[in-house]
Amino acid sequence: MLLPNQNVAKVIFREISKGPRNDEAIYNRHAVTPVKPNDPANDIVKRHAKKSIPTDSGQWPGQKNTQLSVEIGAGSNLYLIGLDQDTRAAFGPGPNPIMVLPHGFGRELLTDIGLVYLDSSGETAFMPAKDIPLTFDQVPLGAMLSFTCDRAKLLKLWNSVMPEGHDGPPINIPIYLNLYDTQTKAPVWTFQGAGRRVPEHSDANKHVETHGGIHPSDDPHGDDHLHPKTHGGIHPGTPSQLLY
């Protein structure tokens, strides 16, 4: 495997796991590894793909904004986003495993986007985003998202769109992670229409929501009803995450 760009300062890895409440999505394993002449980015990524590199457990320190937002560190770094198998999640089909929103905005902000995975012979492979198949079953299982981001470019883009006179706000640029549930082949955020009652529930005022419609993690109805999430995969709080 040869990454498109090994001229980075660090490889920053995070793994999406299932949290303790309502199958919420969290980062639960992470590692920051400096790139050195005797330990290039390519070798570090290979070890992550084979799960042979030490990682810290527990949520990403100081995680801000939404659960799966990505903190962009100083300099130009390579970012890896893995998926714990218990999440039942995978990066879906098509050439946009991660996308800055709205589409077309900040097109050059994220570079070298693709998927890192183990091929049939157990070797580490890189698939550029443009080559990701359009059919779900052809996307490599267990693939990690890989991309490069330079914080200087992020700051330049942020400053270009901030109104004059507004100094010092945090950077919050929305992104989308193309995550799918491997059993249902549906996006991990989809549920049955909000408010559909389940007759057999002991309390008729409590709703169980399953696949079918859109449902944010917070109570969207302005009431005190419970809204358990039951499809068994992960449920990020919103499809829009942030670069910060």
Side-chain angles (χ1 to χ4, degrees), residues 4 8 29 42 58-59 61 78 104 140 208 210 235:
V8 293
R29 291 176 60 236
N42 213 54
Q59 293 196 38
L78 176 69
V208 176
T210 56
H235 305 282

Side-chain angles (χ1 to χ4, degrees), residues 105-106 109 151-164 166-174 242-244:
F105 175 72
L109 184 59
R151 188 167 179 84
K153 292 183 179 179
L154 183 68
L155 285 167
K156 183 177 180 180
L157 178 63
W158 179 254
N159 290 332
S160 73
V161 298
M162 283 303 296
E164 187 175 349
H166 287 256
D167 297 327
I171 298 174
N172 292 311
I173 295 180
L242 298 169
L243 299 179
Y244 67 94

Side-chain angles (χ1 to χ4, degrees), residues 179-241:
L179 297 175
Y180 272 68
D181 186 287
T182 56
Q183 290 191 19
T184 64
K185 306 299 190 291
V188 298
W189 293 275
T190 55
F191 303 89
Q192 187 172 10
R196 180 167 180 174
R197 297 172 184 270
V198 179
E200 65 270 21
H201 200 289
S202 59
D203 184 345
N205 289 323
K206 294 180 180 178
H207 306 224
V208 176
E209 297 175 293
T210 56
H211 271 299
I214 293 294
H215 176 67
S217 64
D218 295 327
D219 180 2
H221 313 297
D223 55 33
D224 294 324
H225 299 157
L226 298 180
H227 302 278
K229 297 163 195 168
T230 60
H231 81 61
I234 54 165
H235 305 282
T238 167
S240 176
Q241 309 298 322

Side-chain angles (χ1 to χ4, degrees), residues 1 50 117-125:
M1 180 192 74
K50 296 183 178 182
Y117 63 99
L118 295 179
D119 63 18
S120 58
S121 63
E123 293 301 315
T124 310

Side-chain angles (χ1 to χ4, degrees), residues 28-165:
N28 200 44
R29 291 176 60 236
H30 44 88
V32 177
T33 308
V35 173
K36 301 176 182 178
N38 63 346
D39 195 17
N42 213 54
D43 290 351
I44 298 169
V45 171
K46 285 182 179 180
R47 297 202 302 276
H48 275 300
K50 296 183 178 182
K51 301 185 184 300
S52 63
I53 192 168
T55 58
D56 294 325
S57 58
Q59 293 196 38
W60 180 263
Q63 176 71 18
K64 300 176 182 177
N65 304 307
T66 55
Q67 301 112 311
L68 301 183
S69 292
V70 179
E71 180 182 9
I72 301 299
S76 180
N77 300 300
L78 176 69
Y79 295 82
L80 291 176
I81 308 294
L83 296 161
D84 187 309
Q85 64 178 4
D86 289 341
T87 62
R88 255 176 45 182
F91 286 98
N96 294 301
I98 182 172
M99 184 174 70
V100 176
L101 300 174
H103 185 62
F105 175 72
R107 189 182 302 275
E108 302 303 320
L109 184 59
L110 306 182
T111 58
D112 311 315
I113 300 172
L115 299 178
V116 173
Y117 63 99
L118 295 179
D119 63 18
S120 58
S121 63
E123 293 301 315
T124 310
F126 175 79
M127 176 180 289
K130 64 180 180 61
D131 295 338
I132 298 175
L134 298 178
T135 302
F136 186 91
D137 292 337
Q138 293 182 338
V139 180
L141 285 176
M144 296 186 292
L145 169 66
S146 174
F147 64 91
T148 301
C149 186
D150 187 335
R151 188 167 179 84
K153 292 183 179 179
L154 183 68
L155 285 167
K156 183 177 180 180
L157 178 63
W158 179 254
N159 290 332
S160 73
V161 298
M162 283 303 296
E164 187 175 349

